[in-house]
Amino acid sequence: MVRKTKEEAQETYAALLDAAEQVFSQKGVTNTTLNDVAIAAGMTRGAIYWHFKDKNALVQAMCDRAFLPMEALLNEIIETPDKDPISALKQLDIHFLQLVSGDKRQRKVFDIIFHRCEKNPDLPFFENEKRQRAECMSKVEAIIKSAVTQGKLHPDTDTWIAMQANHAFLVGIVHEWLEDTSAYCMIAHAESMIDMFLAGLLSCPPLKKPMPVASN
């Protein structure tokens, strides 16, 4: 293969990811081969294997590119501990919903993950995704813990359950909305939906349950 400049290599890399999003969306991840992606991109198999050793690496790269904006915002919030944690959580949640609904790439990638990606043990991506999700959720829990420390939430708030509820709320909205994106305008309603959830969290947060007493 003729050696490419760094810029040309990046352009090829991006074009292959674009093609992967398109083919995965049409055929599903399991039924797609690297050769399918190369053909869709108008390139040779050698070009795709130059950048991705297997389909798992391709799926991972596709998701990494799509999720980078959310990760950047989350890290920015975590690095500013003096910020109002409830406002920070609201900003993060609204940004997530608006990003998915307003950005075609985000929307397509989430649709692939939710509806066109069988959990195949041959794809280590799922284990990596599970680990990355746990890291992200841990950072969100840190925001909620900060709200407890600042007196924004009840001192006995179960921050782990609150984080899980926040995650399930967001994922549930996106999952259902992607089934019929014409049902309503998520960009227009994102803030009101998040306000509804946070109002419930503030007025009636999940509290820590006492450990059950073991019976003899």
Side-chain angles (χ1 to χ4, degrees), residues 14 21 44 68 74 81 105 141 148 153 176 178 180 197 204:
E21 290 174 3
T44 64
L68 187 60
L74 179 55
R105 172 169 294 147
E141 185 181 7
V148 173
L153 289 172
E176 292 302 307
L178 287 172
D180 181 10
F197 174 81
C204 190

Side-chain angles (χ1 to χ4, degrees), residues 60 119 123-138 167:
Q60 187 68 59
K119 293 203 171 183
L123 276 180
F125 159 77
F126 289 108
E127 283 302 314
N128 294 335
E129 191 272 338
K130 187 176 181 180
R131 174 182 52 79
Q132 291 174 331
R133 184 173 71 248
E135 292 175 358
C136 176
M137 292 171 71
S138 177
H167 177 74

Side-chain angles (χ1 to χ4, degrees), residues 86-100:
I86 298 300
S87 294
L89 185 60
K90 176 179 177 176
Q91 177 191 5
L92 184 68
D93 288 355
I94 291 175
H95 183 71
F96 173 72
L97 294 183
Q98 292 185 338
L99 197 62
V100 173

Side-chain angles (χ1 to χ4, degrees), residues 19 35 41 57 61 71 77 86 92 94 96 101 130 138 141 143 150 156 165 180 192 202 206 214:
N35 194 47
E71 292 178 5
I77 289 173
I86 298 300
L92 184 68
I94 291 175
F96 173 72
S101 57
K130 187 176 181 180
S138 177
E141 185 181 7
I143 296 173
Q150 294 185 22
D156 290 329
D180 181 10
S192 59
L202 289 168

Side-chain angles (χ1 to χ4, degrees), residues 67 73 97 122 180:
F67 300 158
L73 178 60
L97 294 183
D122 293 333
D180 181 10

Side-chain angles (χ1 to χ4, degrees), residues 13 16-17 33-35 37 45-61 122-125 128:
Y13 181 83
L16 287 168
L17 290 182
T33 66
L34 288 183
N35 194 47
V37 175
R45 291 182 61 183
I48 196 166
Y49 280 108
W50 177 268
H51 291 278
F52 307 103
K53 67 176 182 178
D54 52 28
K55 185 162 64 173
N56 183 74
L58 177 60
V59 175
Q60 187 68 59
D122 293 333
L123 276 180
F125 159 77
N128 294 335

